[in-house]
Amino acid sequence: VNYASLCFCQTAFVVDEVSTIVKEAVEGAIGGNAYQHNRVNQWTNNVVEQCLTQLSKLGKPFKYIVMMLAHVIFFHLTLSVPLNSNLHYHAEEWSWFADSLFMFLGQHHRWYDAHRSCTVRWENKSMYCIVSVFGLSI
Amino acid sequence: MDGSELRTNTYLIRPNYQHKFRVGVVEKCIREIQREQLSGVQYVSEEIPSLSLSLANSIKNRLKELGFNRYKLVVQVVIGEQRGEGMKMAARCFWDADTDSYAKDIYVNDSLFCVAAAFGIYYY
């Protein structure tokens, strides 16, 4: 038995573990739903609550900050217009915007000690959401 | 933290009032920095990653100058294009409510919006 790795897991911020928790929380709360303006509040609350309860159950010596951002996709991919160059441009535009949003969030985390934070990006056809978890050891 | 300085134990598990993370002060600081760096700026996608990073760095450095010695600081900056779209941001924290806190501010101009949040976590 590798005791060194056991001890490490019990007191360390393991990114894989945390990102699994986040993904499950998002899938559970939002799942296959499309963007609905009057439900966004409830979804964000549910996701963040679920993440935090699961993280605190891990019992590690960390304080956590969970931040979530849910953004509606402006250009829907399922428009009933013939596929032409305009539609393609629009589709590229939103994904490019999404990528740059994710990129500067990602850069930010790399700067501030990547081992203690985790960012998960989840999307479906009508919205995407980005959840960041910061773990600060006490 | 410098390894070169020898820090003696203070055994403080609660900050003094003067050294507490004061929300009003931090909010004002964030607002100033946002006004300075973002007024009149247009949203240009290639420049935004470095702009948000520099904004986060400025906020972090200014907060360090304010004297929160026992606090770990987390600064998150989100800049997006102003298109009239819907966006929801939420944060929840598992911390000690007596000692830890956060401050946020939102800056909007006609081509972009910027949300900056600074969290202060006391290190016992």
Side-chain angles (χ1 to χ4, degrees), chain B residues 12-114:
Chain B
L12 277 174
I13 54 167
R14 287 281 179 270
N16 295 326
Y17 179 72
Q18 290 86 358
H19 303 137
K20 210 163 175 184
F21 188 87
R22 259 155 324 142
V23 178
V25 171
V26 178
E27 227 171 70
K28 199 175 89 168
C29 159
I30 294 178
R31 194 173 310 146
E32 271 173 20
I33 296 180
Q34 279 181 324
R35 296 264 148 87
E36 272 170 43
Q37 295 204 12
L38 292 177
S39 52
V41 175
Q42 297 295 108
Y43 184 88
V44 178
S45 322
E46 296 91 13
E47 295 170 17
I48 293 300
S50 53
L51 179 61
S52 64
L53 200 53
S54 88
L55 202 62
N57 275 331
S58 322
I59 294 176
K60 181 193 72 164
N61 292 331
R62 187 80 67 89
L63 290 182
K64 278 162 81 169
E65 284 169 26
L66 286 177
F68 299 117
N69 291 328
R70 305 280 317 206
Y71 277 90
K72 293 191 182 184
L73 301 166
V74 178
V75 179
Q76 181 144 1
V77 173
V78 179
I79 303 184
E81 191 179 2
Q82 171 77 287
R83 276 194 203 167
E85 296 171 296
M87 162 123 106
K88 172 95 186 156
M89 249 177 108
R92 200 166 289 228
C93 311
F94 182 67
W95 60 21
D96 182 348
D98 283 340
T99 56
D100 308 328
S101 189
Y102 81 100
K104 70 169 192 322
D105 202 17
I106 304 176
Y107 173 84
V108 183
N109 72 17
D110 50 10
S111 82
L112 55 74
F113 67 87
C114 169

Side-chain angles (χ1 to χ4, degrees), chain A residues 12-21 114-120:
Chain A
F13 187 90
V14 183
V15 177
D16 289 335
E17 202 174 26
V18 174
S19 63
T20 322
I21 288 175
H115 293 294
R116 301 244 164 79
S117 71
C118 162
T119 308
V120 172

Side-chain angles (χ1 to χ4, degrees), chain A residues 35 37 40-41 44-45 48-49 52 56 60 62-75 93-94 96-97 100-101 103-105 107-109 111-112 116 132 134 136-138, chain B residues 43 45-46 48-50 52-53 56-57 60 72-81 83-96 99-100 113 115 117 119 121-124:
Chain A
Y35 180 83
H37 183 67
V40 172
N41 261 347
T44 36
N45 279 337
V48 175
E49 283 253 31
L52 213 48
S56 56
K60 295 196 178 170
F62 282 100
K63 292 183 184 179
Y64 295 103
I65 297 173
V66 179
M67 259 189 114
M68 169 161 160
L69 203 146
H71 197 300
V72 65
I73 293 172
F74 193 56
F75 299 107
E93 198 180 352
W94 81 249
W96 174 59
F97 163 65
S100 58
L101 177 66
M103 185 169 79
F104 52 82
L105 275 182
Q107 274 184 349
H108 174 60
H109 288 285
W111 187 267
Y112 294 109
R116 301 244 164 79
S132 324
F134 297 92
L136 295 127
S137 59
I138 54 173
Chain B
Y43 184 88
S45 322
E46 296 91 13
I48 293 300
S50 53
S52 64
L53 200 53
N57 275 331
K60 181 193 72 164
K72 293 191 182 184
L73 301 166
V74 178
V75 179
Q76 181 144 1
V77 173
V78 179
I79 303 184
E81 191 179 2
R83 276 194 203 167
E85 296 171 296
M87 162 123 106
K88 172 95 186 156
M89 249 177 108
R92 200 166 289 228
C93 311
F94 182 67
W95 60 21
D96 182 348
T99 56
D100 308 328
F113 67 87
V115 183
F119 298 83
I121 311 290
Y122 190 70
Y123 182 67
Y124 297 105

Side-chain angles (χ1 to χ4, degrees), chain A:
Chain A
V1 178
N2 192 346
Y3 289 111
S5 69
L6 272 181
C7 295
F8 180 73
C9 279
Q10 275 166 9
T11 57
F13 187 90
V14 183
V15 177
D16 289 335
E17 202 174 26
V18 174
S19 63
T20 322
I21 288 175
V22 172
K23 280 178 196 151
E24 282 173 9
V26 176
E27 281 293 323
I30 305 183
N33 292 316
Y35 180 83
Q36 285 167 60
H37 183 67
N38 52 356
R39 292 193 68 188
V40 172
N41 261 347
Q42 185 194 1
W43 285 335
T44 36
N45 279 337
N46 288 347
V47 172
V48 175
E49 283 253 31
Q50 175 73 354
C51 282
L52 213 48
T53 17
Q54 294 301 103
L55 284 170
S56 56
K57 277 190 194 160
L58 290 177
K60 295 196 178 170
F62 282 100
K63 292 183 184 179
Y64 295 103
I65 297 173
V66 179
M67 259 189 114
M68 169 161 160
L69 203 146
H71 197 300
V72 65
I73 293 172
F74 193 56
F75 299 107
H76 292 271
L77 290 177
T78 55
L79 285 178
S80 57
V81 292
L83 268 178
N84 54 18
S85 59
N86 274 346
L87 187 60
H88 185 59
Y89 167 75
H90 286 160
E92 273 182 358
E93 198 180 352
W94 81 249
S95 68
W96 174 59
F97 163 65
D99 280 341
S100 58
L101 177 66
F102 178 65
M103 185 169 79
F104 52 82
L105 275 182
Q107 274 184 349
H108 174 60
H109 288 285
R110 244 176 270 132
W111 187 267
Y112 294 109
D113 191 0
H115 293 294
R116 301 244 164 79
S117 71
C118 162
T119 308
V120 172
R121 174 184 156 173
W122 181 93
E123 57 189 279
N124 69 11
K125 289 204 189 87
S126 59
M127 62 180 160
Y128 60 82
C129 80
I130 299 172
V131 184
S132 324
V133 180
F134 297 92
L136 295 127
S137 59
I138 54 173

